[in-house]
């Protein structure tokens, strides 16, 4: 994936953020400025054809909002959950929320929309957004860590997304660290690291430690609620926060030793929690070596994937002949 110019001279693009529970689209001008948005729920919808129909409806909805037609659109960029072949646009394997295997999403969308389409892993797309308009702008080597229900990394080396030979670079949710389960994981299922520092893994750890004699908090709370209570000084919540931060810090430290990236950006609903970032940063800084990278919270927040999808669409438009500004 190459870096694009600042924009394109005319026409419009659409960015698509496809998730297991929500579908978000945005229409942007040649500068990447968002002009209209459209969203819907995807809960319970797994069939690729149904997702394509929803995206088509979203594109038409955006056109209606702005008074444009499909002939005014130059390209579409899609961030998809899971391992994705960015050259062919095939979603090789998604998370267990959708369960796709080898879905030719780009071909399906190009047939339905009559427009050039590019598809990449959603975390890679978020890293692209962060590299163009976020805190990593103009930084040639960095890692974007998305921590929500799942865990993944978008790795940018020498200004380009590093995909890996099998398109699985950045699938750090499967990383093994001491104390984590070592059982073999079926493709598309949560890995060992994800099962400990992802949102569902943190909830599971809280439930395993919960005892009414140790805390007045309820058993069924979310990862971010646990971190909120940890910030307020609740002892059991703080212990869960520390375990999560320590494991995440070890993963970051190991990646930094290998990649020598000076910056790690935390994204995702769990990853952006200030308490997790602060505690992880503190543990990293205690290492006291030159390998310790700077750790920051994404400036784009929940918009990183959608902004990245717009930038992917702009790159695609340029590749198909649109003139750079």
């Amino acid at each position: 994936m190459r870096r694009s110019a600042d924009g394109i001279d005319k026409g419009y693009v659409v960015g698509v953020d496809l998730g297991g529970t929500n579908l978000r689209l945005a229409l942007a001008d040649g500068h990447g400025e968002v002009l209209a948005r459209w969203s819907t729920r995807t809960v319970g919808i797994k069939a690729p054809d149904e997702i394509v129909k929803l995206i088509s409806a979203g594109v038409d909805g955006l056109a209606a909002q702005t008074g444009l037609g499909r002939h005014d659109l130059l390209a579409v960029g899609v961030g998809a959950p899971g391992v994705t072949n960015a050259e062919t646009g095939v979603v090789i394997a998604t998370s267990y929320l959708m369960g796709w295997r080898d879905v030719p999403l780009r071909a399906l969308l190009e047939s339905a929309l009559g427009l050039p389409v590019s598809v990449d892993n959603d975390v890679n797309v978020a890293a692209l957004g962060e590299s163009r308009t976020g805190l990593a702008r103009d930084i040639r080597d960095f890692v974007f860590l998305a921590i929500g229900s799942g865990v993944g990394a978008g790795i940018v080396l020498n200004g380009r997304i590093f995909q890996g030979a099998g398109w699985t670079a950045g699938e750090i949710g499967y990383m093994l660290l001491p104390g984590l389960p070592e059982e073999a994981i079926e493709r598309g299922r949560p890995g060992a690291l994800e099962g400990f520092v992802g949102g569902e893994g943190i909830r599971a750890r809280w439930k395993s430690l919960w005892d009414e004699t140790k805390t007045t908090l309820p058993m069924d709370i979310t990862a971010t609620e646990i971190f909120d209570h940890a910030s307020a000084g609740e002892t059991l919540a703080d212990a869960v926060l520390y375990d999560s931060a320590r494991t995440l810090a070890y993963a970051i430290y190991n990646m930094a030793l290998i990649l020598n990236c000076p910056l790690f950006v935390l994204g995702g609903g769990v990853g952006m929690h200030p308490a997790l970032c602060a505690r992880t940063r503190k543990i990293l800084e205690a290492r006291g070596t030159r390998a310790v990278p700077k750790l920051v919270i994404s400036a784009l927040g929940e918009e990183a994937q959608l902004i990245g999808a717009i930038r992917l669409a702009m790159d695609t438009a340029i590749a198909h002949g649109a003139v750079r500004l």
Side-chain angles (χ1 to χ4, degrees), residues 40-124:
T40 190
R41 298 278 286 172
T42 57
V43 175
I45 302 174
K46 296 184 177 182
D49 289 346
E50 293 301 314
I51 294 295
V52 169
K53 288 179 182 178
L54 285 179
I55 293 174
S56 296
V59 170
D60 290 338
L62 291 170
Q65 288 182 50
T66 53
L68 300 172
R70 286 193 184 179
H71 63 277
D72 296 305
L73 304 179
L74 298 177
V76 176
V78 182
V83 179
T84 301
N85 183 326
E87 286 186 359
T88 63
V90 172
V91 180
I92 299 170
T94 64
S95 68
Y96 56 91
L97 292 176
M98 194 171 288
W100 285 1
R101 296 291 184 272
D102 301 317
V103 173
L105 185 59
R106 187 183 78 184
L108 292 172
L109 285 172
E110 287 185 337
S111 176
L113 298 173
L115 295 167
V117 176
S118 287
V119 182
D120 200 351
N121 168 266
D122 55 356
V123 184
N124 287 342

Side-chain angles (χ1 to χ4, degrees), residues 3-27:
R3 299 178 73 89
S4 72
D6 290 335
I8 47 185
D9 68 339
K10 61 181 180 179
Y12 304 86
V13 298
V14 173
V16 180
D17 176 21
L18 172 60
T21 58
N22 292 287
L23 172 66
R24 299 188 300 157
L25 282 74
L27 185 147

Side-chain angles (χ1 to χ4, degrees), residues 9-323:
D9 68 339
K10 61 181 180 179
Y12 304 86
V13 298
V14 173
V16 180
D17 176 21
L18 172 60
T21 58
N22 292 287
L23 172 66
R24 299 188 300 157
L25 282 74
L27 185 147
D29 64 14
H31 296 275
E33 181 179 352
V34 174
L35 305 179
R37 296 171 182 268
W38 184 94
S39 64
T40 190
R41 298 278 286 172
T42 57
V43 175
I45 302 174
K46 296 184 177 182
D49 289 346
E50 293 301 314
I51 294 295
V52 169
K53 288 179 182 178
L54 285 179
I55 293 174
S56 296
V59 170
D60 290 338
L62 291 170
Q65 288 182 50
T66 53
L68 300 172
R70 286 193 184 179
H71 63 277
D72 296 305
L73 304 179
L74 298 177
V76 176
V78 182
V83 179
T84 301
N85 183 326
E87 286 186 359
T88 63
V90 172
V91 180
I92 299 170
T94 64
S95 68
Y96 56 91
L97 292 176
M98 194 171 288
W100 285 1
R101 296 291 184 272
D102 301 317
V103 173
L105 185 59
R106 187 183 78 184
L108 292 172
L109 285 172
E110 287 185 337
S111 176
L113 298 173
L115 295 167
V117 176
S118 287
V119 182
D120 200 351
N121 168 266
D122 55 356
V123 184
N124 287 342
V125 168
L128 178 63
E130 198 72 39
S131 72
R132 303 291 173 80
T133 61
L135 294 177
R137 186 171 185 175
D138 299 325
I139 294 179
R140 297 186 65 79
D141 302 291
F142 77 96
V143 177
F144 182 93
L145 293 175
I147 307 175
S149 297
V151 177
I155 302 169
V156 176
L157 300 177
N158 198 28
R160 297 171 178 266
I161 299 291
F162 178 68
Q163 304 277 8
W167 307 98
T168 61
E171 292 290 329
I172 64 166
Y174 297 94
M175 184 181 291
L176 294 176
L177 291 170
L180 300 183
E182 298 183 8
E183 293 83 1
I185 303 296
E186 179 185 350
R187 185 175 70 165
R189 301 292 297 180
L193 182 64
E194 178 176 320
F196 201 86
V197 302
E200 292 305 308
I202 293 168
R203 287 185 65 196
R205 179 156 180 78
W206 168 261
K207 289 181 178 180
S208 71
L209 296 174
W210 187 89
D211 189 305
E212 61 183 4
T213 65
K214 297 179 181 179
T215 181
T216 59
L217 298 176
M219 178 185 290
D220 191 15
I221 56 178
T222 67
T224 53
E225 288 171 339
I226 293 167
F227 293 166
D228 287 341
H229 288 293
S231 300
E234 208 282 336
T235 302
L236 188 61
D238 189 69
V240 173
L241 169 63
Y242 175 75
D243 286 345
S244 302
R246 180 182 59 182
T247 302
L248 179 60
Y250 288 176
I252 292 173
Y253 183 75
N254 289 341
M255 285 188 283
L257 287 172
I258 297 168
L259 300 174
N260 195 28
C261 289
L263 178 68
F264 281 67
V265 180
L266 289 178
V270 176
M272 291 188 298
H273 197 288
L276 179 63
C277 182
R279 188 68 64 90
T280 304
R281 185 187 294 127
K282 182 177 181 180
I283 295 170
L284 279 170
E285 291 173 348
R287 304 303 303 172
T289 69
R290 294 176 61 185
V292 174
K294 182 179 180 181
L295 183 65
V296 299
I297 294 174
S298 170
L300 303 182
E302 295 180 355
E303 292 289 276
Q305 291 172 347
L306 195 54
I307 291 173
I310 290 169
R311 292 292 169 167
L312 179 61
M314 291 169 67
D315 285 352
T316 305
I318 291 169
H320 283 77
V323 180

